[in-house]
Amino acid sequence: MAQGTKGVALSRRQLLRLIGVAGGSAVMYQAMTSLGFAAESTFTGVPALGPAPRGASVLVLGAGIAGMVAALELRNAGYRVQVLEFNDRPGGRVWTLRGGDRYTELGGATQDCGFAPGQYINPGPWRLPHHHHGILGYCRRLGVTLENFVQVNHNALLHDPVAFNGKPQRLRAIKADYQGQVAELLAKATRGGALDEPVTAQDQEILLASLQWWGALDRDYAYRPCFESSDRRGYDKDPGGGPGGAPVFSAPIKPADVLNSGLWGFLPLGELHDMQSTLMQPVGGMDAIARAFGRELGDSIRYRSKVLDIRQDEDGVTATYEDTGAPGIRQSARADWCVCTIPLSILGQIPMNVGRPMADAISAVPYTGSTKVGLQFNRRFWEEDDHIYGGISYTTQPIGTIGYPSHGYQSPGKSVLLGAYVWGHDADRFNAMSPAQRVAQAVEQGGRLHPQYRDEFDNGIAVSWHRVPGAMGCFAMWTEALREQHYANLCAFDGRIVLAGEHASYQPAWQEGAVNSALDAITRLHQRALASGGKA
Amino acid sequence: MAQGTKGVALSRRQLLRLIGVAGGSAVMYQAMTSLGFAAESTFTGVPALGPAPRGASVLVLGAGIAGMVAALELRNAGYRVQVLEFNDRPGGRVWTLRGGDRYTELGGATQDCGFAPGQYINPGPWRLPHHHHGILGYCRRLGVTLENFVQVNHNALLHDPVAFNGKPQRLRAIKADYQGQVAELLAKATRGGALDEPVTAQDQEILLASLQWWGALDRDYAYRPCFESSDRRGYDKDPGGGPGGAPVFSAPIKPADVLNSGLWGFLPLGELHDMQSTLMQPVGGMDAIARAFGRELGDSIRYRSKVLDIRQDEDGVTATYEDTGAPGIRQSARADWCVCTIPLSILGQIPMNVGRPMADAISAVPYTGSTKVGLQFNRRFWEEDDHIYGGISYTTQPIGTIGYPSHGYQSPGKSVLLGAYVWGHDADRFNAMSPAQRVAQAVEQGGRLHPQYRDEFDNGIAVSWHRVPGAMGCFAMWTEALREQHYANLCAFDGRIVLAGEHASYQPAWQEGAVNSALDAITRLHQRALASGGKA
């Protein structure tokens, strides 16, 4: 099979990327942590702070999730709280774009979102793992309605421009064939005596039975065209009704082609803890969470407030700021304590009198870039033609991901999908493009998975996180070395100032990190406030 | 470890059931087909029948999915159509029970459903696979709103009374440990040279890289407590926020204990084609589909009509029936042709002048039994306490399944879950119990997974399919031998009568089988009607 051989030879280059990801725990820990994968929750309920010292006040900088959690709980404990927020909306990176929204990125490029009513994209977080108890708890308390977010769709596509000559494969086929062939190989080794040392004879018998069932092997422990394998990887002709209803089984891909395609690299993504089912999303867009917090906090939040300077003394903290609608007019806010949730990428540019350990930590942690592109199409061809309802297709092209909406199935009319979710060096290149170029790239690359793109594309919008005002990056990109050197210093109180946010957590990128960080920070703040004798 | 050893010894009995399921393709095909697993769709759009012969008429028996699909398409093609339905509602086995519903089973036991407003259970089908294009197409045409149905929940429980001393395990842990240990064993065999023959050296290198990533192995190809494994199986202490945010890794279960637990037997269930993500459900209950068809067909359907006799002659077919509200008064309906969708379990008891091949087929196919129990609790403790949102927990106890609602997450107030989905001999035993006993069994057995059952149980309702009037069984239990002998005869026209329904398909139990069977049957009916010269 000449084509197969060619595919094998060329796809080895692609494979190196995947082997790199999987090549050793240290590298992997770093890579995964950077991608926000290493993130569960230790949330065990909101801490009972008890009453605040009489008259005590807190200045919260930033009305993202961390800032709003801190403000809400401190207010409820009796603190006087003021929040300064750069944007004209609550949520920070928790953000939803809809038709009619205008967005101007750093550099000045402005996009007007042309989505149809009810359509949206979440440029920031877009899913809620079931074990992120903190943020889910706030959804419950604040009345945010949740629905399912589909991560793994067996009918979605896996694509590499070289593997299988660029023809996308169904996830189910790659998954079934990889597992089946692994099971067959292990069954062969077991029966050949290769496991006689590590596995008892009795356990070998059970192992074989389990491999047969789990790997869809036949009675001879072979993974071959039959009912068992077709009922995992799909049929050539599906079972049907009436006299001609019998199915036709399909043939697995050759083991060497499965291995060399590298597409197995996408299989474990839904098994990483933060991507494991069940995942959820707020109905109507992730900013439902932000708006719920915003409603609750009311005019405790001052929007359009750009912090220019943060200065503490023995008695309190003063932030100087200007209204972004009236630049040049300096105003100030003062309180006994300050919870600063401004992303480090921004905070590093704001004068603040903290000691060297915290200052070094703030400047040490880089922020990862990422680009998301929302594409609106005239119809849900991915459902109508391709039978893909929600979930994610993956490609080794720079766009990385095509995320289909997990809601509104079979709705007529225009619909939006996530047309790109770009990481790493690819994100740097997307960052350098104009918004229109990013959208064009998403349409071109995505069209290799879905030829319908050509006829059905309507409009798009692109958010490149290094160009988002007030964020200048996606999330704090910790490494093990950085953690060791700076994490404790970043989290420790400096006088009357404490930092909070996903960057001050082991759950980078996730709202849950912001929640846990904020709750930890205010717990310590409260202890200090009490210890300082209740001074107002 | 005495306890572990004891567990190993005793769980071997449990294991035999699983090995039995996996032990050979023929057995497996039969078992899986019986459970309705072997069922995809060949639906490629509704057949264009073209205009009916002038004045041609069809009598449809049964207003389940097959009958209503047939009636709808035949009516649209211009046939005069009348449908006779036993129940006082459309849908047949597509059925939803809500608070206020009264249900009397064969034998006379009556249950009044005490569910709270908005709560429901689907005693029949409860999920729609994404590849069941036929029924999904009707949902679209008839405006049935769909939402996600969660099948696999990594945080759900796997339970066996003996394994792990009866302590339920999280699905994620069993899955991660089984896959990790399989990967470790295969990596060991590969590196030990056991695969030198079947796998080239180059491919072995890729295989090892893939096993490392897929199986969450460390750099030495070991599956052990570390970031990689914990990020699949869960942490002992989750990552968190602030200074103490570092996670604590968890320790995998011993390989022999994983194998001997038998709990690996539940892992592939979400990988069988009909259970693969994405699955859907109609918002508010499965009967939304039935009611949409019913609305469309209006008074073409005569409800409460019990068919007593089916008689064909050279010119047409006459069904004699009585109104179940006025038994003893015989009425009749007549048409040129008859599409009979009455379940074989019932049809076998109705006199009908068909030839021996069809008559033999009708009486040859047994109907499987199954019991579903809906349990209402005072609160969603499975979400609040156990963080299980939707999906299924499995137990080797007779109840088999606990299915959590895939919708209404975090809603306050009472909520209903599927407390039992009983099969096989266990279903026979449940069938023999009173409804109250079935509910009590579900509460007792389910309480071993969720101790909260004791305090939170409110009320329940139980449907045992062999006692459902008008169905007397769950679905046609084909075997390969039965198919060979009777399937063609069951599907073939006998004079002016053709059968349709899930029993006349290779998709037993599924609505999709009913759709495909009906469309196939009416296509052949139309050809015959045209060939017969348009005789009315």
Side-chain angles (χ1 to χ4, degrees), chain A residues 195-218:
Chain A
L195 303 185
D196 284 354
E197 194 159 344
V199 184
T200 68
Q202 206 174 32
D203 287 350
Q204 282 184 35
E205 176 195 332
I206 304 171
L207 176 64
L208 284 169
S210 74
L211 290 172
Q212 198 174 43
W213 170 227
W214 173 82
L217 307 184
D218 71 6

Side-chain angles (χ1 to χ4, degrees), chain B residues 65-83:
Chain B
I65 296 300
M68 294 195 289
V69 163
L72 187 68
E73 300 302 343
L74 289 168
R75 191 196 65 181
N76 288 353
Y79 288 89
R80 288 186 296 120
V81 175
Q82 184 174 7
V83 187

Side-chain angles (χ1 to χ4, degrees), chain B residues 206-292:
Chain B
I206 304 171
L207 177 63
L208 284 170
S210 74
L211 291 172
Q212 199 173 42
W213 169 228
W214 172 82
L217 308 184
D218 70 8
R219 68 175 72 203
D220 300 320
Y221 303 97
Y223 183 74
R224 61 167 187 83
C226 61
F227 166 75
E228 289 86 339
S229 58
S230 291
D231 200 45
R232 309 279 176 102
R233 69 187 315 287
Y235 296 84
D236 269 0
K237 173 178 167 287
D238 292 345
V248 175
F249 302 141
S250 66
I253 302 164
K254 279 171 47 185
D257 290 347
V258 173
L259 281 179
N260 282 280
S261 76
L263 297 184
W264 46 262
F266 296 116
L267 296 179
L269 296 179
E271 301 182 8
L272 303 175
H273 200 181
D274 286 323
M275 311 296 173
Q276 288 177 1
S277 58
T278 304
L279 295 118
M280 287 162 272
Q281 64 182 11
V283 172
M286 191 58 84
D287 69 350
I289 298 178
R291 287 185 282 111

Side-chain angles (χ1 to χ4, degrees), chain A residues 258-274:
Chain A
V258 173
L259 281 179
N260 283 279
S261 76
L263 297 184
W264 47 261
F266 296 116
L267 296 178
L269 295 179
E271 302 182 7
L272 303 175
H273 199 180
D274 286 324

Side-chain angles (χ1 to χ4, degrees), chain A residues 489-507:
Chain A
N489 295 335
L490 188 85
C491 295
F493 258 86
D494 183 301
R496 294 178 165 274
I497 297 172
V498 65
L499 308 189
E502 55 83 17
H503 48 276
S505 83
Y506 273 77
Q507 300 165 295

